Amino acid sequence: MTIKPKAKKFRIRRNPASPDAGSGGEAAAARPMPAPDAHSSAGAASASAQQQPPAAAPAEEAGTKPEQPRSGQVSSARETRLETDIDAIRQEGLTGRQLRMARRVAQKHDLPATSDFDAVRLLREKGIDPFKRANMLELVVPQNKAQPDNTPAVGNNVQLPQTVPAAKTNLPSTELSPAERRQREISEIQRDIAGRRRRKLVLLMARLGFFVMLPTLITGYFFYAVATPMYATKSEFLVLKADGAGAVSGLLSGTQFATSQDSIAVQGYLQSKVAMLRLDEEMGFKSHFTQDWIDPIQRLDPNPTNEEAYKTYKRNVKIGYDPTEGVVRMEVSAADPEVSAEFSRRLISYAQDEVNHLSEQKRSDQVSESEAALELAEGKRREAQRHLVELQQDGMVLDPEGVIVSLRSQINTFEVQLQQKELELAALLDNTRPNRAKVAGVEADVSRLKAVIERLNDRMTDASEGENSLANHRVQIQMAQADLATRDLMLQSALQQVESTRMEANRQVRYLTTAVAPVASEEPTYPRKFENTILAFLIFSGIYLLCSLTASILREQVSS
C-alpha cells in the first residue's frame, strides 16, 4: 500500500491593524488563479495557496491603508472544508471493515482517494453509499493501475479535446515502472534460458551425432556394403545307447541323462583345436578363409597361426547341446554354401568316430580282463589235472584207496573166521574126553587164520606208513582231485564272466544318429544387416549414456 505525501498546512491569522495586510491583499488579488484540479489534492493545495484571502476585501473597500503581506502558506476555504469534512467523518466512529469497504468502492469507481476517510468523502460527494452491501462478484475488482498524466480515467467518456499544460512535456520517459522493469528482466531471463537450452540441445545433438550416429552409420555401411555374405548350414544329431543296458541303465535309457556325458564330450571335441586341425588337413579350413575376396574382418592372414585359425573356427562353428532333449545342434558358416555343407558333414563323421572311440576303450578293457582271467583259470586247471595224472602214474596201483579198502575187508573176514574157529575149539575142549583129531584140526585152522591176519596187517601197515605208502599216495591223489575240482569251478566262472562281459560290452556301444542332415543354403545367412545395425546403435547409445552419467557424477562431486 502506497501512501501519498501530504503537504503541510499553516493557518495564519490576519491582523487588520497590521500595515502589511492591504498590500498583501492587493498582491494576492493581482495574481491570476488557475482553476483547481478536482482529482488531485496537490492541485487543490496549489489553488488554495494562490487564491485571495477574503479578509483583504473589506480593507480595500474602506479605503484604509492595506497591511503588509506576511510570509507563509495559507489554507484555502476548500481545503479547510475538506479537512473539516474528513474530521467529521473520523468522528463518526467508522470501523476498519467499513473503511476498507469504502476504499474498495472508491477504487471501483476510479476515485482518487488519498485515504479511507477521503474515500468516504468522495463517495458521498458522488452520491454513492460507501457502506452498501454489494454482490460478492462485484467486490473482486481489478486494481487501480497507474495511469500517465492528462489521461482520462476508465469509464469517463471525454467528448472534448483536452488541453495540455504548457509547463509539462510529452517526451517519453527513460525510467520504467517496476512492473515493466520486472517484466523486462523476466523476458531477458527467459531468453537467456531459451538460448542456453538451444545451445545445450545443439551440443547434445552434436555429441550424439559424433559418438552414436556416426559409428552407427559406419557400422551399417560395413554390414550393407563391405561384409562378405556367409552361408550357414544347420544340422542336428543324437548320441544313442544300445538297448537292454541293464537294470539301472534301463531306467535312464529313455531319458536324456543316459548319454548326456557322451553328448557333452562330443560337443567339447568338435569345439576343440584337434577337430579344427583335422578339418584343415582334410578340407583346407585355413585356405578357405585366407581368400582375397573375403572382407578384412573375417579374412585370415596368408600364413595364419593355429590360434588365429582357431578363433575363426570358433566364430564360424557353433555347437550347442540341449539337455532337455539330448540333441546336439551344429551350425557351420562359410563363404561358400557347398563348402559349408561339406564342413558340416566332415564334423559329423568326426563326432561319430569320437563316439565309437569313447566306448571302445572301455569295452576292450573289460573283455581283455575277462579273457585274461579265463586263460589263467584254464592254465591252473590244466596243471591240476597234470599233477593228478603224474601221481597216478608214480604209484604201483592206480587206486590206492581201493587196495586199502580191499585189505581191510579181507582182514575183517579172516578175523570173523578166526573167532568162529576159536569158539569151535573152546566147544571141543569143554568135553571131558575131547576128540584129539578134531581139536588138532581146529587148532591148526586157528593158527593159520592168525598167520593170514598178521600178514594182512603187515601189508596194511606198509601201505599206511612211509612216504611211498598207499595211504600217503591216496592222500596226494585226493588233494590233486580236489584241486582239479576247484580249478574246474574257477574255469566255469571265468567262462561265465567272459560271456557276461561281452554282452555288457555290446550293451555299452554308443551310436550317433543324424536327426537333421546338413543341406547347402541358397541365401546368405550372415551378416544380419538390419539387426546388427540396430544392435550397434544400442551398444553405442549405452556406452555414451554410461560415459555421460559418469562425467555428470564426477562433475557434481568436484563442484560440491
Side-chain angles (χ1 to χ4, degrees):
M1 179 176 175
T2 304
I3 300 175
K4 295 183 179 181
K6 188 175 181 181
K8 295 182 179 180
K9 303 175 182 60
F10 300 92
R11 293 186 181 185
I12 302 173
R13 294 182 179 180
R14 293 167 178 80
N15 188 2
S18 176
D20 297 334
S23 61
E26 293 176 359
R31 289 193 299 268
M33 287 190 304
D37 191 0
H39 299 285
S40 175
S41 61
S46 62
S48 62
Q50 293 177 3
Q51 288 179 358
Q52 182 180 0
E60 291 178 358
E61 295 175 358
T64 59
K65 185 178 180 179
E67 296 179 358
Q68 295 294 331
R70 297 180 182 180
S71 61
Q73 185 176 4
V74 180
S75 299
S76 62
R78 182 177 180 275
E79 186 176 1
T80 305
R81 182 175 59 81
L82 293 178
E83 293 180 356
T84 304
D85 295 340
I86 291 174
D87 291 338
I89 293 171
R90 281 196 181 96
Q91 294 177 1
E92 291 179 4
L94 299 177
T95 62
R97 182 175 178 278
Q98 292 175 339
L99 294 176
R100 288 193 298 271
M101 185 183 297
R103 172 63 66 90
R104 286 196 297 270
V105 175
Q107 289 179 356
K108 179 180 178 182
H109 291 84
D110 296 328
L111 299 178
T114 58
S115 63
D116 294 342
F117 300 101
D118 191 18
V120 174
R121 183 187 62 80
L122 292 175
L123 290 172
R124 288 178 178 176
E125 288 181 358
K126 291 288 186 180
I128 301 172
D129 187 4
F131 309 120
K132 180 181 179 181
R133 294 184 178 272
N135 191 7
M136 293 300 295
L137 296 177
E138 296 178 359
L139 297 178
V140 182
V141 296
Q143 296 181 358
N144 188 13
K145 298 181 179 179
Q147 298 177 354
D149 296 338
N150 298 327
T151 300
V154 179
N156 296 333
N157 296 326
V158 180
Q159 302 294 336
L160 298 177
Q162 301 295 317
T163 59
V164 180
K168 295 184 179 181
T169 59
N170 292 328
L171 297 177
S173 176
T174 58
E175 296 182 358
L176 299 176
S177 63
E180 294 179 351
R181 188 182 300 109
R182 183 169 60 254
Q183 185 67 25
R184 176 178 291 184
E185 291 176 356
I186 292 173
S187 301
E188 291 179 356
I189 293 173
Q190 289 177 350
R191 285 193 296 270
D192 185 33
I193 292 174
R196 282 186 293 176
R197 286 180 178 176
R198 286 193 297 270
R199 188 164 53 253
K200 289 183 179 180
L201 182 61
V202 171
L203 293 176
L204 177 61
M205 296 304 296
R207 288 194 297 269
L208 288 176
F210 183 77
F211 292 105
V212 178
M213 300 306 298
L214 182 60
T216 303
L217 291 176
I218 295 174
T219 305
Y221 173 75
F222 172 79
F223 286 132
Y224 276 92
V226 180
T228 302
M230 305 298 290
Y231 298 86
T233 302
K234 296 182 180 181
S235 58
E236 297 180 3
F237 56 87
L238 297 86
V239 178
L240 302 179
K241 196 173 184 180
D243 296 335
V248 179
S249 300
L251 295 175
L252 302 176
S253 60
T255 63
Q256 70 277 9
F257 301 104
T259 58
S260 61
Q261 295 180 353
D262 299 330
S263 301
I264 293 172
V266 171
Q267 178 187 2
Y269 172 75
L270 293 179
Q271 290 179 339
S272 65
K273 192 181 294 184
V274 178
M276 186 271 295
L277 295 175
R278 186 175 176 182
L279 184 64
D280 180 55
E281 292 176 359
E282 297 183 2
M283 293 294 299
F285 178 79
K286 294 181 181 179
S287 61
H288 176 75
F289 283 94
T290 54
Q291 302 180 61
D292 297 336
W293 50 274
I294 299 178
D295 61 87
I297 294 181
Q298 301 183 82
R299 184 176 64 240
L300 290 174
D301 295 335
N303 294 320
T305 60
N306 292 334
E307 286 71 19
E308 295 176 353
Y310 183 59
K311 291 180 181 179
T312 305
Y313 177 81
K314 289 193 299 183
R315 186 170 61 249
N316 292 278
V317 178
K318 300 176 182 179
I319 302 173
Y321 171 67
D322 189 358
T324 59
E325 300 177 358
V327 180
V328 179
R329 295 181 174 88
M330 181 174 62
E331 180 181 354
V332 182
S333 301
D336 187 86
E338 297 297 334
V339 174
S340 174
E342 187 62 27
F343 282 172
S344 181
R345 296 188 189 98
R346 289 302 178 92
L347 290 175
I348 290 176
S349 64
Y350 299 163
Q352 189 172 4
D353 296 340
E354 182 65 18
V355 168
N356 296 333
H357 179 70
L358 287 174
S359 59
E360 181 181 2
Q361 183 68 28
K362 184 178 181 180
R363 289 185 290 111
S364 62
D365 291 344
Q366 290 179 351
V367 173
S368 60
E369 289 178 1
S370 61
E371 289 179 352
L374 177 61
E375 291 179 359
L376 180 62
E378 289 178 350
K380 293 294 184 180
R381 183 186 180 283
R382 191 176 294 110
E383 290 180 0
Q385 190 174 8
R386 184 170 51 252
H387 181 62
L388 177 61
V389 172
E390 289 177 355
L391 288 177
Q392 290 177 353
Q393 290 178 356
D394 290 342
M396 296 180 68
V397 292
L398 295 177
D399 191 4
E401 186 176 0
V403 173
I404 293 174
V405 171
S406 177
L407 290 176
R408 286 181 179 177
S409 63
Q410 291 178 9
I411 292 172
N412 292 332
T413 302
F414 288 123
E415 286 181 351
V416 171
Q417 293 179 3
L418 178 62
Q419 291 177 1
Q420 292 178 356
K421 292 297 181 181
E422 287 180 352
L423 290 174
E424 185 179 357
L425 179 62
L428 291 175
L429 293 176
D430 288 339
N431 295 325
T432 56
R433 295 179 67 179
N435 188 356
R436 299 301 303 172
K438 290 182 179 181
V439 172
V442 173
E443 288 179 352
D445 292 336
V446 169
S447 61
R448 283 193 297 270
L449 289 174
K450 288 182 179 179
V452 172
I453 291 173
E454 184 178 358
R455 187 172 60 252
L456 291 174
N457 286 330
D458 292 338
R459 187 178 176 183
M460 187 70 179
T461 301
D462 295 337
S464 301
E465 295 180 359
E467 296 180 357
N468 296 324
S469 62
L470 291 177
N472 187 18
H473 189 62
R474 182 179 65 82
V475 170
Q476 291 180 358
I477 290 175
Q478 288 179 353
M479 292 177 61
Q481 290 176 350
D483 190 9
L484 179 60
T486 302
R487 294 303 174 183
D488 289 337
L489 293 176
M490 293 180 65
L491 179 61
Q492 185 179 1
S493 176
L495 288 172
Q496 293 178 357
Q497 184 177 1
V498 169
E499 294 299 329
S500 63
T501 302
R502 288 177 180 175
M503 294 176 63
E504 186 68 22
N506 293 329
R507 295 190 187 103
Q508 292 178 358
V509 176
R510 300 293 189 272
Y511 301 98
L512 190 143
T513 302
T514 303
V516 178
V519 179
S521 178
E522 296 182 357
E523 295 182 358
T525 308
Y526 300 102
R528 297 173 179 172
K529 303 174 183 179
F530 181 75
E531 292 83 350
N532 293 343
T533 304
I534 296 299
L535 179 61
F537 173 75
L538 294 177
I539 291 174
F540 291 131
S541 301
I543 294 174
Y544 175 76
L545 179 61
L546 291 177
C547 295
S548 301
L549 291 176
T550 304
S552 300
I553 293 171
L554 293 177
R555 191 183 303 111
E556 183 178 358
Q557 294 294 331
V558 171
S559 61
S560 60

